[in-house]
């Protein structure tokens, strides 16, 4: 196949189409659509911050529209998805369970796995005792074990049992059977996924190199189009790839090498996206969707990639000391019809039914058109309604006049829906 040259916007459209963000959902959300959404992305990153909905729920809402959050927990409890270390802690489709287990044990390097290796070596007797407790008593949560020192926090400040549970999860001896109020419930891996574990123990061990190539292909497919240097980050593979590392996959026809306007390096498209590539080149992928994205959305979790695709320099500031924050604690990128046009600092006050927008910022130097204002206002209101906080309050904006325009549009939308 001869690969076309793409404009930057065409490359963006291909990327958003692969991520399920090109157009607004046309049908009511279903459980099957949720599973398909996770399969398309390959990974759904987990984060516990909940000033608005926790990240995995928001990532799904951006793509599915309104849906019951409990569907995610139900998919986990049914074994349709599972939890693993990958990009970070993630949900992943169950089809990749054995691949993630093999790669985590043999090749992946991540702080969670590193700490688990150390704890496993130094506290094996305690880990075995905990495994025996779970084997005889059943699944456990960290909260089932009391601590006496009054501390808490990161890995280094966790109570012993929490650290041991996370160690056994990282080594694959435990899995997350379900979540209760978003708290992990741990059980023996053989009880959570008996068929997969039986296959793992009876079969030939998976080759880490073959698993790595599988994840490289899935990364490119999930991104729609990607430069070589972006591929490893999606599954946190080692090391960063160069164009020559993908030559064999190009020669096999697995990947297509594509020139993109203003890119100094080629892009790569998986053969499963060949039809979408043709549509992008023919201007048949039309971006129509407006949505508030999670800070941990795949579209923005790689700062360099977001900058190259969208000229959008995004940093997650919730881990930045408050005096050094530029935009706010939990700032949501604003996607509007194929572009990232701003960001929004929000908080859902659930008891009061208020969706507070502390500030909304247009991209520097950008003035939103009336149609963009209308699209973003609708996205804000829909997101607020899904949060059960239908009253939207916007406190500030940059530029200043943007606040009044959004308030008018939201009020008109609310009146029209009444």
């Amino acid at each position: 196949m001869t690969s076309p040259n793409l404009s930057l916007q065409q490359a963006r459209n291909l990327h958003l189409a692969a991520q399920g963000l090109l157009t607004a959902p046309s049908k009511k959300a279903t459980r099957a659509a949720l599973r398909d959404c996770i399969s398309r992305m390959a990974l759904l990153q987990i984060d516990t911050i909940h000033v608005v909905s926790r990240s995995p729920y928001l990532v799904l809402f951006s793509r599915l529209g309104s849906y019951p959050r409990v569907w995610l927990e139900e998919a986990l409890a049914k074994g349709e998805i599972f939890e693993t270390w990958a990009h970070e802690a993630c949900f992943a489709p169950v089809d990749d369970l054995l691949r993630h287990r093999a790669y985590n044990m043999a090749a992946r390097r991540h702080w969670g796995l590193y700490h688990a290796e150390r704890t496993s070596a130094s506290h094996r007797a305690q880990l075995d005792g905990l495994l025996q407790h779970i084997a005889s008593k059943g699944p456990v949560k960290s909260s089932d074990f009391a601590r006496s020192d009054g501390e808490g926090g990161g890995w280094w400040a966790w109570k012993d049992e929490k650290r041991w549970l996370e160690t056994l999860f990282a080594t694959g001896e435990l899995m997350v059977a379900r979540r209760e109020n978003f708290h992990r419930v741990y059980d023996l891996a053989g009880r959570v996924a008996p068929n997969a574990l039986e296959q793992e123990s009876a079969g030939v061990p998976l080759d880490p190199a073959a698993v790595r190539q599988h994840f490289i292909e899935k990364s490119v497919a999930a991104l729609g189009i990607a430069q070589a240097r972006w591929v490893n980050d999606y599954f946190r593979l080692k090391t960063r790839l160069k164009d020559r590392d993908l030559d064999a996959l190009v020669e096999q026809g697995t990947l297509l090498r594509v020139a993109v306007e203003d890119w100094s390096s080629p892009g790569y498209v998986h053969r499963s996206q060949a039809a979408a590539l043709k549509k992008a080149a023919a201007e048949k992928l039309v971006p129509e969707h407006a949505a508030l994205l999670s800070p941990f959305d795949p579209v923005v979790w790689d700062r360099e990639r977001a900058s190259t695709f969208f000229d959008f320099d995004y940093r997650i500031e919730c881990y930045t000391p408050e005096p050094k924050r530029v935009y706010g604690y939990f700032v949501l990128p604003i996607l509007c019809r194929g572009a990232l046009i701003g960001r929004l600092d929000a908080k859902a006050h659930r008891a009061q039914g208020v969706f507070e927008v502390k500030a909304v910022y247009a991209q520097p130097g950008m003035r939103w058109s009336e149609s963009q204002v209308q699209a973003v206002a609708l996205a804000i209101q829909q997101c607020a309604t899904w949060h059960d906080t239908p009253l939207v309050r916007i406190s500030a904006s940059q530029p200043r006049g943007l606040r009044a325009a959004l308030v008018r549009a939201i009020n008109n939308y609310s009146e029209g829906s009444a």
Side-chain angles (χ1 to χ4, degrees):
M1 174 181 173
T2 301
S3 300
N5 295 340
L6 297 182
S7 69
L8 179 56
Q9 186 61 59
Q10 288 169 339
R12 287 180 183 175
N13 296 346
L14 180 56
H15 172 51
L16 292 172
Q19 280 287 313
L21 286 168
L22 187 73
T23 59
S26 59
K27 299 179 181 179
K28 187 176 180 180
T30 63
R31 289 176 173 84
L34 181 143
R35 294 192 300 271
D36 290 345
C37 185
I38 297 173
S39 294
R40 182 190 301 117
M41 292 185 293
L43 295 173
L44 177 59
Q45 185 172 333
I46 301 168
D47 192 84
T48 59
I49 297 172
H50 59 288
V51 292
V52 293
S53 276
R54 291 181 175 91
S55 179
Y57 302 110
L58 186 57
V59 169
L60 292 170
F61 172 75
S62 299
R63 291 156 172 80
L64 299 175
S66 183
Y67 73 97
R69 294 168 187 77
V70 70
W71 285 359
L72 182 61
E73 281 89 345
E74 289 175 353
L76 176 65
K78 291 176 182 177
E80 297 166 344
I81 60 175
F82 70 101
E83 294 193 31
T84 183
W85 283 110
H87 175 81
E88 290 290 344
C90 292
F91 297 108
V94 71
D95 290 349
D96 277 336
L97 171 59
L98 294 184
R99 292 187 182 93
H100 279 285
R101 286 176 61 85
Y103 199 77
N104 283 350
M105 293 176 189
R108 182 171 279 131
R109 291 294 174 262
H110 188 281
W111 67 267
L113 299 173
Y114 168 75
H115 284 295
E117 288 176 2
R118 295 185 61 184
T119 304
S120 184
S122 61
H123 291 77
R124 193 65 240 181
Q126 292 90 334
L127 298 177
D128 289 339
L130 184 53
L131 287 171
Q132 292 174 7
H133 173 85
I134 295 171
S136 61
K137 302 294 185 182
V140 301
K141 303 188 295 291
S142 171
S143 59
D144 294 337
F145 304 94
R147 71 179 305 150
S148 57
D149 56 15
E151 296 182 0
W155 180 287
W156 54 91
W158 280 342
K159 58 189 173 186
D160 288 340
E161 289 84 1
K162 171 64 174 175
R163 189 165 61 252
W164 298 339
L165 287 168
E166 288 296 318
T167 294
L168 292 166
F169 167 72
T171 62
E173 295 165 89
L174 294 181
M175 290 181 63
V176 179
R178 62 184 184 276
R179 281 184 177 253
E180 295 179 0
N181 296 322
F182 212 70
H183 296 291
R184 282 173 165 172
V185 179
Y186 303 84
D187 200 357
L188 301 180
R191 289 202 296 230
V192 176
N195 295 335
L197 271 292
E198 183 178 344
Q199 180 182 343
E200 181 181 70
S201 61
V204 176
L206 294 176
D207 177 13
V211 174
R212 182 173 182 271
Q213 178 166 320
H214 174 82
F215 286 154
I216 287 173
E217 291 187 37
K218 291 203 82 167
S219 300
V220 178
L223 290 170
I225 182 169
Q227 293 186 18
R229 60 187 289 107
W230 302 338
V231 173
N232 73 297
D233 177 72
Y234 205 83
F235 283 89
R236 288 283 159 86
L237 310 176
K238 296 295 182 181
T239 56
R240 178 170 279 195
L241 302 180
K242 299 182 183 299
D243 292 306
R244 63 174 177 269
D245 297 317
L246 299 178
D247 283 345
L249 290 173
V250 172
E251 291 170 6
Q252 295 166 14
T254 302
L255 298 183
L256 308 171
R257 190 172 273 145
V258 180
V260 179
E261 172 192 19
D262 295 332
W263 285 10
S264 58
S265 299
Y268 295 86
V269 177
H270 192 266
R271 61 186 171 192
S272 63
Q273 298 282 6
L277 173 61
K278 287 184 178 179
K279 288 182 178 180
E283 301 286 353
K284 293 182 179 179
L285 293 183
V286 181
E288 299 173 346
H289 193 29
L292 308 182
L293 304 184
S294 162
F296 304 99
D297 194 290
V299 169
V300 294
W301 77 30
D302 184 320
R303 189 175 182 181
E304 177 191 308
R305 172 161 49 83
S307 178
T308 303
F309 260 128
F310 298 99
D311 193 22
F312 189 80
D313 185 21
Y314 183 69
R315 182 177 67 176
I316 299 171
E317 296 187 312
C318 49
Y319 305 117
T320 302
E322 186 172 0
K324 295 184 178 181
R325 291 177 195 148
V326 177
Y327 295 106
Y329 178 73
F330 201 71
V331 173
L332 312 181
I334 300 172
L335 173 70
C336 186
R337 298 168 181 165
L340 293 175
I341 66 170
R343 59 202 87 199
L344 178 151
D345 185 16
K347 180 176 176 61
H349 299 274
R350 295 167 178 85
Q352 295 78 31
V354 173
F355 192 81
E356 178 189 9
V357 178
K358 298 179 180 180
V360 59
Y361 306 87
Q363 274 288 79
M366 176 183 288
R367 296 195 68 84
W368 293 0
S369 68
E370 180 61 25
S371 65
Q372 287 174 321
V373 170
Q374 294 293 329
V376 173
L378 179 58
I380 293 172
Q381 184 63 68
Q382 289 175 331
C383 189
T385 301
W386 176 67
H387 277 86
D388 297 319
T389 55
L391 181 57
V392 177
R393 291 179 178 166
I394 303 177
S395 300
S397 69
Q398 289 184 9
R400 286 196 301 174
L402 181 57
R403 174 189 174 277
L406 284 170
V407 169
R408 283 194 300 270
I410 288 171
N411 288 341
N412 289 338
Y413 170 76
S414 300
E415 292 169 3
S417 301

